[in-house]
Amino acid sequence: MEHALDITLTVNGVEVSRRVAPRTHLVDFLRDELGLTGSHIGCEHGVCGACTVRVNGEIVRGCLMLAVQANGSRVDTIEGLSDSGELKDLQKAFHEKNALQCGFCTPGMLMAAQDLVREKRKLSREQIREHISGNYCRCTGYQAIVDAIEEVIHGQG
Ligand code: FES
Ligand code: FES
């Protein structure tokens, strides 16, 4: 591979090393190199939020970050958060409130929602809407998504 670079990062708690083309986006690296296809690709220019992942604890757009920029970082994807049980309350609420239809937006939506849940603040519906305003959903009309997030946030001790 011409001009390839070696990178090492920790993905969902596992250290991985790969040789990548410098122009490879993080979400493509996760999907194509590591088979972590839970992070979706929608707009590919930072608008829809389908590609949301966590890098060193902060949610980022996987389509706006290069894999080489994540060298040395800790990356967590929907698969990692799901396997660890971190998302279980949100997953249950999304299921019970019918907060998903096609599910394409759901991984990114859950990543963004969990970012709020971790803050443990009792937010209003407007504040929840504001926080997820960078995550597009073509199916649900958002009402049920906000209901689900609100239930988890307000159910926390
Ligand atoms: S695919 Fe990254 S924000 Fe849409
Ligand atoms: S459930 Fe289909 S895009 Fe959100």
Side-chain angles (χ1 to χ4, degrees):
M1 195 187 303
E2 207 181 345
H3 305 306
L5 296 171
D6 292 318
I7 61 171
T8 298
L9 57 165
T10 303
V11 180
N12 297 331
V14 178
E15 187 174 287
V16 295
S17 296
R18 291 287 191 284
R19 177 159 292 200
V20 297
R23 63 187 174 82
T24 306
H25 288 106
L26 179 59
V27 68
D28 292 319
F29 173 76
L30 293 169
R31 290 175 56 87
D32 300 340
E33 267 306 314
L34 305 184
L36 296 169
T37 54
S39 305
H40 292 160
I41 301 172
C43 65
E44 295 187 76
H45 62 271
V47 176
C48 74
C51 62
T52 304
V53 295
R54 248 191 225 163
V55 177
N56 294 332
E58 300 289 331
I59 52 171
V60 303
R61 307 287 206 219
C63 71
L64 292 186
M65 186 169 189
L66 299 171
V68 293
Q69 291 176 299
N71 187 27
S73 300
R74 197 182 81 243
V75 176
D76 296 296
T77 70
I78 188 73
E79 289 90 346
L81 268 62
S82 184
D83 288 351
S84 72
E86 186 179 336
L87 291 175
K88 68 177 176 3
D89 292 343
L90 276 172
Q91 288 169 318
K92 183 167 177 283
F94 268 57
H95 176 68
E96 288 174 357
K97 300 282 183 192
N98 290 320
L100 64 154
Q101 289 181 29
C102 78
F104 191 83
C105 71
T106 309
M109 198 65 86
L110 287 170
M111 296 295 288
Q114 181 60 12
D115 203 45
L116 274 189
V117 171
R118 285 197 298 166
E119 288 181 7
K120 291 191 181 296
R121 287 192 293 138
K122 307 286 186 217
L123 300 175
S124 67
R125 290 181 73 84
E126 289 66 35
Q127 288 170 312
I128 294 170
R129 280 185 180 275
E130 169 81 23
H131 186 79
I132 61 165
S133 62
N135 290 75
Y136 287 8
C137 176
R138 295 168 68 103
C139 308
T140 66
Y142 300 96
Q143 195 72 13
I145 291 173
V146 176
D147 288 347
I149 297 171
E150 188 178 36
E151 179 174 278
V152 174
I153 283 178
H154 289 267
Q156 293 189 116

